[in-house]
């Protein structure tokens, strides 16, 4: 089981999602199965088949979330610094090709959300930035080719 590092906030969100799935979604699907079963012949009952499949998917998702929670290691946010890039740092980088400036927060895979500017440390850019300092020029291999960035700022 792989260890996944996450913030306390991310851990709490995951626990809330498990609770929601178990207390709201699970009974909902059980009701759908019971209603479909009440309609008679199960061999030709598409509603029953769909509800049973949804139940299987839900149980798989709950199991996956519980595995992540079991292997989670919370990050001590008091030990963060801005000397070198590490998980939970905000990083401002400039693409050397066109001087476009971007800002990302490096997070665990389970907390990544590009719309919020949160990228996983396991992504090519995340891996390429870890351990670097302000002023460093970094070449990172991404699916579209080699990109070069200058690290402008590291913050918390």
């Amino acid at each position: 089981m792989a260890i996944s590092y996450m913030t306390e906030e991310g851990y709490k969100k995951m626990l809330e999602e498990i609770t929601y799935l178990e207390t709201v979604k699970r009974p909902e699907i059980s009701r759908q199965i019971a209603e479909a079963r009440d309609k008679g012949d199960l061999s030709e009952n598409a509603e029953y088949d769909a509800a049973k499949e949804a139940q299987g998917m839900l149980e798989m998702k709950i199991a996956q979330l519980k595995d992540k929670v079991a292997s989670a290691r919370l990050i001590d946010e008091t030990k963060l610094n801005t000397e070198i890039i590490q998980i939970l740092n905000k990083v401002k980088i400039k693409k050397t090709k066109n001087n476009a400036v971007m800002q990302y927060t490096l997070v665990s895979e389970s907390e990544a959300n590009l719309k919020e500017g949160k990228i996983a440390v396991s992504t090519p850019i995340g891996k390429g930035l870890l351990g670097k300092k302000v002023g460093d020029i970094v070449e990172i291999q991404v699916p579209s080719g080699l990109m070069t960035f200058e690290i402008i700022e590291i913050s918390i």
Side-chain angles (χ1 to χ4, degrees):
M1 186 183 321
I3 292 174
S4 57
Y5 293 94
M6 58 183 68
T7 61
E8 196 169 332
E9 178 190 347
Y11 184 78
K12 284 179 182 169
K13 276 185 184 172
M14 207 170 277
L15 290 177
E16 287 168 9
E17 185 176 2
I18 290 169
T19 301
Y20 170 76
L21 293 175
E22 288 180 333
T23 59
V24 177
K25 295 305 274 182
R26 189 182 269 161
E28 223 173 75
I29 290 175
S30 292
R31 268 192 307 281
Q32 290 171 0
I33 290 171
E35 285 171 16
R37 195 180 300 126
D38 292 344
K39 290 181 180 170
D41 185 11
L42 297 181
S43 65
E44 294 177 18
N45 190 328
E47 282 179 51
Y48 179 78
D49 291 341
K52 285 300 277 183
E53 187 175 330
Q55 182 184 41
M57 300 293 279
L58 176 73
E59 293 305 326
M60 188 172 74
K61 183 167 185 165
I62 290 170
Q64 287 172 338
L65 287 169
K66 284 185 171 183
D67 278 351
K68 278 185 182 173
V69 165
S71 67
R73 298 292 176 269
L74 296 185
I75 298 160
D76 183 349
E77 297 182 45
T78 62
K79 293 202 169 39
L80 294 176
N81 69 60
T82 57
E83 295 296 308
I84 62 166
I85 298 172
Q86 56 190 336
I87 193 166
L88 294 187
N89 279 147
K90 268 192 182 98
V91 183
K92 196 177 279 187
I93 56 176
K94 179 172 71 174
K95 237 191 237 181
T96 57
K97 193 175 188 178
N98 61 5
N99 290 331
V101 174
M102 296 161 280
Q103 184 166 308
Y104 297 113
T105 302
L106 295 178
V107 296
S108 68
E109 215 164 281
S110 60
E111 297 177 78
N113 182 335
L114 203 52
K115 286 183 186 140
E116 295 175 9
K118 296 178 179 180
I119 62 169
V121 289
S122 58
T123 61
I125 291 177
K127 285 179 187 171
L129 294 175
L130 284 176
K132 303 298 185 278
K133 297 177 176 154
V134 171
D136 284 357
I137 305 290
V138 186
E139 286 188 341
I140 300 173
Q141 187 66 47
V142 294
S144 61
L146 194 65
M147 296 178 88
T148 307
F149 300 101
E150 179 183 350
I151 295 156
I152 299 172
E153 186 182 310
I154 304 169
S155 58
I156 297 175

